[in-house]
Amino acid sequence: ALKKLPAVGSRRLGLALAGSGVAATALGLALFFNAFWIRLGNILIIAGFPMVVGAGRTAGYFLQPKKARATGCVAAGACLVFIGWPFCGIVLEAFGVLNLFGNMFPFVMAMARTLPFVGDLIPSPSRKKKTSRRRPQEYDQEERDREEVEMYY
């Protein structure tokens, strides 16, 4: 059975912490891998994520045997950021996050395509240019017309 979701107030606080963590990490990246902001972002994300999803669900997801390598990459990346190697840490964290949540990207992309302004910016498989394909009868008719024209030359 799945663990219970946390209360609404705690989820809001968790969203605020995680969102602030993402913003702090983005600021740290924008400031050319500023270790302080990246560390602060990691701390806020690590504190906020379990508050949003719940501690039991978070532990259950990250401690799955098939996700051990990805979880290890995220943890090792966070440690590298904390000891003062922000570039290597962020690269390792990004690799781990892509392995942890990579199977959710198609779902996120499908949801993003339904958003009013964002959806117009994301290419959709159904929005590809349709090439004009001639039917075999049309091709045969064009070929016959071309042969008729060539007969006169």
Side-chain angles (χ1 to χ4, degrees):
L2 292 173
K3 314 293 188 279
K4 285 177 37 178
L5 285 174
V8 175
S10 144
R11 288 177 75 184
R12 285 186 183 158
L13 179 61
L15 279 172
L17 286 173
S20 299
V22 169
T25 302
L27 181 62
L29 293 176
L31 294 173
F32 300 105
F33 295 94
N34 185 307
F36 170 77
W37 288 107
I38 295 175
R39 285 179 191 142
L40 181 64
N42 277 347
I43 291 170
L44 292 172
I45 290 171
I46 290 169
F49 193 75
M51 292 180 79
V52 173
V53 182
R57 284 185 175 194
T58 302
Y61 186 78
F62 282 96
L63 299 178
Q64 292 177 20
K66 65 182 179 179
K67 298 192 184 295
R69 182 182 66 171
T71 302
C73 285
V74 171
C79 288
L80 285 175
V81 167
F82 287 122
I83 64 171
W85 292 350
F87 180 77
C88 296
I90 285 294
V91 169
L92 199 55
E93 283 182 359
F95 177 75
V97 166
L98 286 174
N99 280 308
L100 277 170
F101 303 109
N103 59 347
M104 294 182 195
F105 286 127
F107 176 71
V108 170
M109 290 295 285
M111 281 184 46
R113 283 189 191 107
T114 64
L115 295 175
F117 297 105
V118 178
D120 297 332
L121 301 174
I122 301 172
S124 168
S126 62
R127 291 186 195 165
K128 288 182 182 175
K129 284 187 177 180
K130 296 187 178 178
T131 57
S132 62
R133 295 185 180 180
R134 297 183 295 185
R135 285 185 256 143
Q137 302 92 4
E138 293 172 355
Y139 178 76
D140 292 342
Q141 183 62 42
E142 286 180 13
E143 193 67 34
R144 278 186 248 130
D145 292 343
R146 198 173 303 123
E147 288 173 359
E148 278 183 31
V149 169
E150 289 174 358
M151 276 187 352
Y152 295 111
Y153 288 108

